[in-house]
């Protein structure tokens, strides 16, 4: 099967990429071949590093592409011996560990469908996703092995549970079924439109939806990936604290890097700022993808003692504010690049210091190959420049989902004509920059005015003593809805009435009288999803 070549580095300007770039989507395409198979067969496949891995006790392992492929071949053979065939849904409930990536390659190359699930999900979360997806075989680590085995009796489709590091659990042990399987395997010749993934949304609003994706989804990521990584060379080393069960960890980092034959760093440890700095230094990491929240946490740690090789900091999942751009450049000597998208259709808007003139207030411009606009959700008409509307992406798009799995009603609701609604509010200026204003249902309408919570948050963070802020709309008997700011102070500052007054006054004077937070509440931490995004809706409950 042919792996198409995608390279934006050949273009001299953003306008040139938009006018000349064309998608090359082969009729037959398997994502596993593009991220691993092609490199394992290369002349340097036995030497080219795919993964640097470090477990919780500090033990380090190095895997080449050839080693990953040989292990994946064994897993594919083992899965087929357990009844997996083309179209079978296979759940993988594992943290960052080598077997997670090996299992992904194995499932994809045998034509089955990957259902990546975070081990941070509780029993109800796993039960819902395993049941809704119709998962028939699950690969589970020690953390959730007993839970999934117990759930098997309650799930109609789940027949087999393969367990890792869980000898006391009644399942098929990885150590029994994989090592004895053959090392040779021929990748199934799938079509680019064939089913590859069912990826569940983070669930920041409502019940999680299963975004059903084809093999071509990987190709849809690559232009945006190249933009936000500044076309990295052979010396690039990639990393993210995000779990490999999320698009932000798997596609945005691992698959993007492996498509280009570049190594990634993985660890089973949970995100910790000081340990993250140690990883940066130990593995000469150049391109770590970090959320805005992670960057803020790292900025609070003394990092002068670390010898860093950071070059580019891709960021997504949350709005990046100007102070973070300044911190990354001033303290790390690196460039911060922002990407925008969602599980349903990702990497569609981004920044690039070489191609796009810097605009710190925006999320960037539409990535080559993706048509992104702002519409009036009720009429479907394009919004004038500068007016807030709904951010939409036009189909067909290689990165776009096939459907919401087993949910035709919500699939239909996702579209207005050929425009896929992102669920986000935004605007566009005359130069084509896209401005993310928050979730479409989070734009605050108070006393008849429309207020972007993200804009207010930026002003609140500028107040001395404020570390971070989240702004929401809350019910008010007089005005219907008023602006409320939840504020986290700097480590050496306590929340007080005086600081609340300072926040209100600053926003009123710098932004607008109708935008200032009429209520201010101090918090120690913000509620987050397992992928690290702030759960705004919990703050309004």
């Amino acid at each position: 099967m042919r792996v198409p070549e995608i390279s934006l580095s050949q273009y001299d300007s953003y306008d040139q990429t938009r006018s000349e770039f064309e998608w090359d989507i082969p009729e037959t395409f398997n994502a596993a071949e593009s991220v691993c198979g092609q490199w394992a067969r290369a002349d340097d496949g036995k030497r080219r590093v795919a993964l640097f891995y470090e477990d919780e006790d500090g033990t380090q392992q190095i895997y080449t592409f050839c080693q990953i492929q040989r292990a994946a071949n064994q897993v594919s053979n083992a899965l087929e011996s357990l009844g997996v065939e083309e179209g079978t849904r296979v759940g993988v409930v594992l943290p960052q560990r080598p077997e997670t990536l090996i299992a992904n390659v194995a499932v994809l190359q045998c034509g089955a469908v990957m259902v990546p699930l975070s081990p941070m999900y509780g029993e109800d979360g796993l039960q819902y996703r395993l049941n809704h997806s119709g998962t028939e075989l699950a690969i589970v680590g020690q953390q959730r092995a007993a839970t999934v085995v117990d759930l098997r009796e309650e799930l109609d489709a789940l027949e087999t549970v393969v367990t890792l590091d869980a000898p006391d659990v009644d399942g098929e042990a990885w150590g029994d079924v994989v090592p004895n399987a053959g090392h040779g395997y021929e990748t199934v010749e799938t079509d680019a439109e064939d089913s590859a993934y069912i990826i569940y949304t983070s669930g920041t609003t409502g019940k999680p939806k299963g975004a059903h994706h084809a093999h071509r989804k990987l190709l849809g990521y690559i232009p945006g990936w190249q933009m936000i990584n500044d076309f990295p060379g052979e010396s690039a080393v990639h990393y993210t604290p995000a779990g490999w069960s999320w698009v932000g960890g798997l596609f945005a980092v691992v698959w993007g890097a492996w498509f280009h034959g570049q190594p990634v760093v993985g660890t089973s440890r949970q995100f910790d700022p000081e340990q993250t700095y140690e990883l940066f230094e130990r593995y000469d990491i150049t391109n770590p993808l970090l959320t805005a929240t992670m960057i803020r946490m790292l900025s609070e740690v003394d990092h002068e003692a670390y010898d860093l090789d950071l070059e580019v900091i891709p960021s997504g999942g949350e709005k990046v504010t100007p102070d973070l751009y300044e911190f990354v450049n001033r303290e790390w000597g690196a460039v911060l690049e922002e990407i925008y998208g969602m599980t349903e259709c990702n990497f569609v808007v981004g920044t690039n210091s070489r191609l796009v003139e810097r605009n710190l207030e925006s999320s960037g411009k539409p990535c080559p190959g993706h048509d992104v606009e702002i519409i009036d959700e009720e009429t479907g008409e394009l919004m004038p420049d500068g007016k807030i509307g709904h951010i939409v992406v036009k189909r067909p798009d290689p990165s776009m989902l096939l459907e919401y799995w087993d949910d035709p009603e919500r699939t239909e609701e996702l579209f207005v004509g050929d425009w896929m609604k992102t669920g986000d509010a935004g605007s566009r200026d005359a130069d084509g920059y896209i401005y993310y204003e928050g979730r479409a249902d989070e734009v605050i309408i108070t006393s008849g005015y429309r207020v972007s919570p993200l804009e207010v948050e930026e002003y609140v963070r500028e107040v001395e003593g404020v570390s971070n802020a989240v702004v929401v709309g809350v019910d008010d008997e007089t005005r219907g809805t008023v602006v409320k700011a939840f504020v986290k102070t700097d480590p050496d500052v306590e929340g007080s009435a005086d600081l609340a007054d300072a926040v209100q006054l600053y926003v009123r004077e710098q932004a607008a009288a109708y935008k200032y937070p009429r209520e201010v509440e101090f918090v120690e931490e913000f509620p987050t999803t397992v992928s690290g995004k702030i759960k705004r809706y919990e703050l309004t409950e």
Side-chain angles (χ1 to χ4, degrees):
M1 282 176 286
R2 180 173 66 86
V3 177
E5 182 179 349
I6 301 175
S7 176
L8 299 189
S9 61
Q10 63 183 300
Y11 301 113
D12 297 324
S13 68
Y14 173 78
D15 290 340
Q16 185 185 12
T17 66
R18 291 293 294 175
S19 62
E20 297 184 11
F21 176 82
E22 293 182 355
W23 291 111
D24 176 15
I25 310 296
E27 183 176 347
T28 58
F29 175 75
N30 188 289
E33 172 67 13
S34 67
V35 300
C36 191
Q38 65 163 329
W39 300 110
R41 292 193 308 275
D43 292 341
D44 64 349
K46 293 183 179 180
R47 302 185 305 277
R48 184 183 284 259
V49 175
L51 174 66
F52 296 101
Y53 180 73
E54 186 172 305
D55 63 21
E56 289 194 26
D57 65 10
T59 301
Q60 301 175 19
Q61 298 170 283
I62 299 176
Y63 292 81
T64 65
F65 281 97
C66 189
Q67 289 172 318
I68 295 288
Q69 186 63 59
R70 282 171 60 85
N73 289 346
Q74 286 186 288
V75 175
S76 292
N77 286 317
L79 290 176
E80 289 189 350
S81 73
L82 294 171
V84 171
E85 56 189 18
E86 289 186 52
T88 299
R89 271 86 68 202
V90 178
V92 174
V93 192
L94 295 173
Q96 284 195 10
R97 59 182 295 173
E99 292 86 352
T100 308
L101 303 181
I102 291 167
N104 268 264
V105 173
V107 171
L108 293 172
Q109 71 179 6
C110 66
V113 181
M114 265 293 304
V115 185
L117 299 169
S118 172
M120 297 177 72
Y121 288 138
E123 181 176 342
D124 289 347
L126 285 172
Q127 181 174 5
Y128 171 78
R129 291 164 175 84
L130 289 167
N131 182 62
H132 181 260
S133 63
T135 291
E136 299 167 58
L137 181 146
I139 301 173
V140 192
Q142 181 183 29
Q143 184 178 353
R144 285 289 176 257
T147 300
V148 174
V149 167
D150 290 344
L151 285 173
R152 185 168 48 185
E153 301 300 320
E154 303 176 35
L155 300 172
D156 294 334
L158 185 62
E159 297 180 355
T160 306
V161 179
V162 177
T163 61
L164 284 87
D165 305 327
D168 298 328
V169 175
D170 183 20
E172 300 282 350
W174 178 286
D176 292 336
V177 299
V178 173
N180 296 322
H183 290 93
Y185 191 84
E186 185 174 347
T187 299
V188 172
E189 193 171 281
T190 52
D191 288 345
E193 291 292 326
D194 283 348
S195 178
Y197 276 94
I198 299 174
I199 307 173
Y200 282 86
T201 57
S202 302
T204 52
T205 57
K207 184 165 277 191
K209 302 178 286 289
H212 182 200
H213 283 282
H215 282 267
R216 59 165 161 77
K217 176 178 180 62
L218 172 63
L219 298 177
Y221 262 73
I222 301 305
W225 188 92
Q226 291 181 357
M227 281 183 65
I228 65 165
N229 282 281
D230 277 0
F231 321 116
E234 291 292 319
S235 63
V237 179
H238 303 266
Y239 168 69
T240 184
W244 292 339
S245 53
W246 304 103
V247 292
L250 187 62
F251 279 84
V253 176
V254 181
W255 283 173
W258 283 13
F259 183 89
H260 296 84
Q262 297 173 1
V264 298
V265 174
T267 179
S268 57
R269 297 191 182 110
Q270 294 297 309
F271 176 73
D272 174 86
E274 291 188 0
Q275 290 181 351
T276 299
Y277 274 118
E278 292 172 3
L279 282 177
F280 287 169
E281 181 179 52
R282 188 155 48 248
Y283 294 100
D284 297 323
I285 292 171
T286 60
N287 294 50
L289 187 147
L290 305 167
T291 65
T293 298
M294 291 173 184
I295 298 173
R296 291 188 188 283
M297 293 174 68
L298 287 164
S299 72
E300 297 172 357
V301 174
D302 183 3
H303 55 275
E304 290 186 3
Y306 298 100
D307 183 13
L308 304 178
D309 290 311
L310 301 174
E311 296 178 3
V312 183
I313 314 298
S315 186
E318 298 176 302
K319 180 71 182 77
V320 177
T321 50
D323 61 305
L324 296 184
Y325 281 98
E326 295 165 7
F327 168 80
V328 166
N329 181 257
R330 182 184 67 250
E331 299 294 330
W332 292 348
V335 176
L336 195 155
E337 303 288 8
E338 184 176 357
I339 195 69
Y340 167 82
M342 63 297 306
T343 304
E344 292 84 345
C345 189
N346 219 332
F347 277 37
V348 294
V349 172
T351 66
N352 178 266
S353 58
R354 301 189 200 180
L355 296 178
V356 182
E357 185 177 348
R358 186 67 77 190
N359 179 335
L360 299 185
E361 301 295 337
S362 80
S363 296
K365 291 187 176 184
C367 298
H370 303 285
D371 292 327
V372 182
E373 290 288 356
I374 312 296
I375 68 167
D376 182 314
E377 187 177 352
E378 294 184 1
T379 66
E381 298 294 323
L382 296 182
M383 295 292 288
D385 291 340
K387 297 295 185 181
I388 295 177
H390 202 119
I391 304 175
V392 290
V393 186
K394 193 172 186 177
R395 61 179 173 187
D397 186 300
S399 180
M400 193 175 291
L401 80 174
L402 294 165
E403 62 182 349
Y404 283 131
W405 179 260
D406 195 28
D407 199 339
E409 182 176 341
R410 287 210 279 188
T411 301
E412 183 177 355
E413 293 172 352
L414 184 63
F415 291 91
V416 176
D418 283 333
W419 295 109
M420 190 206 83
K421 297 183 291 184
T422 63
D424 293 328
S427 61
R428 180 176 187 150
D429 67 18
D431 295 319
Y433 289 95
I434 302 295
Y435 297 81
Y436 172 69
E437 305 288 355
R439 295 292 296 173
D441 53 3
E442 289 171 357
V443 170
I444 303 166
I445 301 178
T446 177
S447 300
Y449 295 101
R450 295 172 66 88
V451 177
S452 165
L454 299 186
E455 179 192 10
V456 178
E457 288 169 10
E458 289 185 25
Y459 283 110
V460 174
R461 293 190 191 105
E462 292 175 3
V463 176
E464 185 175 356
V466 172
S467 171
N468 200 3
V470 174
V471 169
V472 299
V474 295
D475 293 339
D476 180 80
E477 290 186 3
T478 302
R479 294 176 173 82
T481 301
V482 296
V483 178
K484 180 174 182 176
F486 290 85
V487 175
K488 179 182 177 182
T489 64
D490 289 334
D492 58 344
V493 175
E494 290 188 6
S496 64
D498 287 344
L499 182 55
D501 290 343
V503 165
Q504 293 174 319
L505 180 62
Y506 185 78
V507 176
R508 174 190 284 271
E509 291 183 345
Q510 299 297 320
Y514 67 87
K515 293 183 180 181
Y516 87 94
R518 293 179 179 273
E519 298 181 21
V520 177
E521 180 177 335
F522 295 100
V523 297
E524 293 186 1
E525 298 293 342
F526 298 109
T528 61
T529 68
V530 293
S531 62
K533 297 179 182 179
I534 293 174
K535 295 189 202 176
R536 293 171 176 271
Y537 69 92
E538 284 196 6
L539 296 172
T540 63
E541 292 177 350

